[in-house]
Amino acid sequence: TVSYFDISKRLWWGAVASFEDHYFYPWFVSWGFNPYGQPALDPVLYELRFKRTKLDVILQYPLDLCHRLEFSVSGISVKYQHLDWQAYADMCAAEAENPTQEFYFSYWQETGGSLEDYVAYMVSARDSYGLRADFLKKYINDGKFLTFNLAFVRDTALYKQFGPFTNDMYRIDLSWSTGGYNAMISGEARKYLRLGSESAFAIRGYAGAQFGKTINPWIIGDLGELRGYQWMQFMGNRIWMTNIELRFPLTKNFNLLGMYLGDIRAALFMDLAKIWFDDRRFNALNVDDVNPGLIKGSVGIDVSMPFTLWIFGSELHLAVSKRMTTVKFLPKLEDKWQIKLYFGYSF
């Protein structure tokens, strides 16, 4: 990434050029074999490889002390490479119809599996891989396009060393791409209530929706968004999320063996979120989501050490939480406590 910004005048402007190359292996390539007994796949056949070249031109103009407009134009070139999941779905369908004795069924028998279980497994795999193939056809498309982004921001939040402690912030974002590739609308609201000189009540709400034939899905889990779950556990092109925190200090001017660590703070929190695809068939791609139709949540305590801001570029957090599922808006807590360390910021 290369960037340039000019903030010498009231109208701020800048440009950012970036190149991204992400790739993911399916689990059977990582392990060096094919689950259906065929020769191991060539490792260059990624489950998904994503290349994006992007140039952003950004403008920001303050309307007054608390309100501003943000506008950007992005030129984007996207290229995907992925496995032919439909071929795997067809292979599973053929195995379910006529299980073979050489290849994977032989291994299945060695582990004590029955023919009926093998056929049921292949039917499940056929449906799963077919769903991946449909997802790629609908949402993952190569192309070159322009994206226009407009945002209105109202920000009256006041800050202390530990972060915002009073007032509020609101933000509305709109984006649209040429060729119908993507359109997005999202909104965020934050409210801070001061409780004495060092404590605050904070609440954040976020909602958004994407449309079009190429999506950049929201991915949430852990990192102060939905604590107690796995990192990047859930994805979708529809989302709403709420975070509620009661923030207070644990120590002031903490020193450890002569090293100044600053203030260690804590927050009692409740996180709530729902994330899904507009085509609800694809919610099954969130393989760890056993209740895709229900609101996810967690409650607990999050301890932060701001001194790491100067070392790692963000705060070190320790979150101790219990997952919560809402059934007809009645919370149900899991018995197991989740303990997570993560780097991030308090909203």
Side-chain angles (χ1 to χ4, degrees):
T1 300
V2 179
S3 62
Y4 172 81
F5 288 93
D6 184 345
I7 58 174
S8 62
K9 300 179 177 61
R10 182 169 183 175
L11 176 63
W12 293 9
W13 73 275
V16 180
S18 61
F19 174 75
E20 301 173 63
D21 188 354
H22 306 279
Y23 53 89
F24 308 91
Y25 292 115
W27 62 271
F28 48 84
V29 172
S30 301
W31 288 4
F33 70 93
N34 181 318
Y36 312 113
Q38 306 300 326
L41 292 172
D42 186 336
V44 302
L45 296 177
Y46 307 102
E47 177 176 358
L48 176 64
R49 185 170 188 175
F50 166 70
K51 292 183 179 182
R52 180 170 68 180
T53 304
K54 187 179 182 184
L55 176 63
D56 302 298
V57 178
I58 302 167
L59 302 173
Q60 181 174 301
Y61 186 79
L63 301 174
D64 55 37
L65 186 62
C66 301
H67 302 82
R68 68 178 183 269
L69 289 175
E70 298 176 0
F71 176 76
S72 66
V73 179
S74 304
I76 304 172
S77 175
V78 178
K79 177 69 175 178
Y80 290 97
Q81 176 184 340
H82 51 76
L83 289 176
D84 185 352
W85 287 113
Q86 189 59 54
Y88 279 92
D90 295 342
M91 182 189 301
C92 292
E95 284 287 302
E97 288 289 332
N98 184 24
T100 59
Q101 297 298 319
E102 50 279 337
F103 307 138
Y104 193 53
F105 182 53
S106 298
Y107 172 75
W108 186 278
Q109 288 179 310
E110 291 174 4
T111 61
S114 67
L115 176 62
E116 292 77 12
D117 289 342
Y118 178 72
V119 171
Y121 178 82
M122 284 299 164
V123 170
S124 175
R126 176 203 64 194
D127 295 342
S128 175
Y129 293 152
L131 187 66
R132 289 172 183 246
D134 291 345
F135 179 82
L136 293 173
K137 291 177 184 177
K138 181 167 184 177
Y139 288 129
I140 307 301
N141 295 280
D142 299 339
K144 298 179 180 179
F145 49 93
L146 292 174
T147 297
F148 302 88
N149 306 276
L150 178 65
F152 172 77
V153 183
R154 178 185 186 272
D155 190 351
T156 63
L158 298 180
Y159 288 73
K160 284 191 173 183
Q161 183 180 5
F162 58 81
F165 70 97
T166 190
N167 294 347
D168 49 48
M169 188 281 288
Y170 301 96
R171 180 184 183 97
I172 298 175
D173 287 86
L174 301 170
S175 71
W176 174 81
S177 298
T178 58
Y181 276 89
N182 183 266
M184 185 270 289
I185 180 170
S186 66
E188 181 178 10
R190 304 180 184 183
K191 181 67 178 179
Y192 308 99
L193 298 176
R194 180 175 181 176
L195 303 173
S197 60
E198 299 292 332
S199 301
F201 177 80
I203 182 170
R204 171 176 63 179
Y206 182 88
Q210 294 185 40
F211 312 88
K213 58 185 180 181
T214 293
I215 65 168
N216 184 19
W218 285 283
I219 304 176
I220 63 171
D222 209 4
L223 300 181
E225 298 169 336
L226 191 56
R227 285 161 283 200
Y229 291 83
Q230 298 300 318
W231 180 58
M232 300 177 68
Q233 183 171 346
F234 307 114
M235 68 175 179
N237 64 350
R238 303 287 192 273
I239 185 176
W240 71 256
M241 178 173 62
T242 300
N243 308 101
I244 303 170
E245 295 187 357
L246 176 61
R247 300 171 177 172
F248 53 91
L250 287 181
T251 65
K252 292 285 292 180
N253 302 319
F254 182 66
N255 283 272
L256 179 63
L257 302 177
M259 183 173 62
Y260 176 69
L261 301 182
D263 301 342
I264 298 179
R265 299 181 58 81
L268 299 176
F269 69 84
M270 179 171 66
D271 298 334
L272 295 170
K274 185 172 182 180
I275 185 167
W276 69 100
F277 288 99
D278 60 322
D279 189 332
R280 295 181 180 272
R281 293 180 301 149
F282 300 129
N283 289 331
L285 295 173
N286 289 321
V287 293
D288 296 321
D289 189 357
V290 295
N291 294 301
L294 302 180
I295 299 169
K296 307 299 182 296
S298 61
V299 294
I301 185 169
D302 189 324
V303 179
S304 60
M305 306 176 71
F307 82 97
T308 56
L309 177 67
W310 310 108
I311 303 174
F312 300 104
S314 60
E315 301 171 346
L316 175 64
H317 288 253
L318 172 65
V320 181
S321 61
K322 279 193 174 186
R323 296 180 182 178
M324 178 176 64
T325 301
T326 60
V327 183
K328 295 182 180 179
F329 295 97
L330 296 177
K332 179 182 177 181
L333 289 177
E334 293 187 0
D335 294 332
K336 185 179 178 181
W337 287 96
Q338 305 287 331
I339 301 176
K340 299 281 186 178
L341 275 173
Y342 69 94
F343 289 100
Y345 298 97
S346 300
F347 66 85

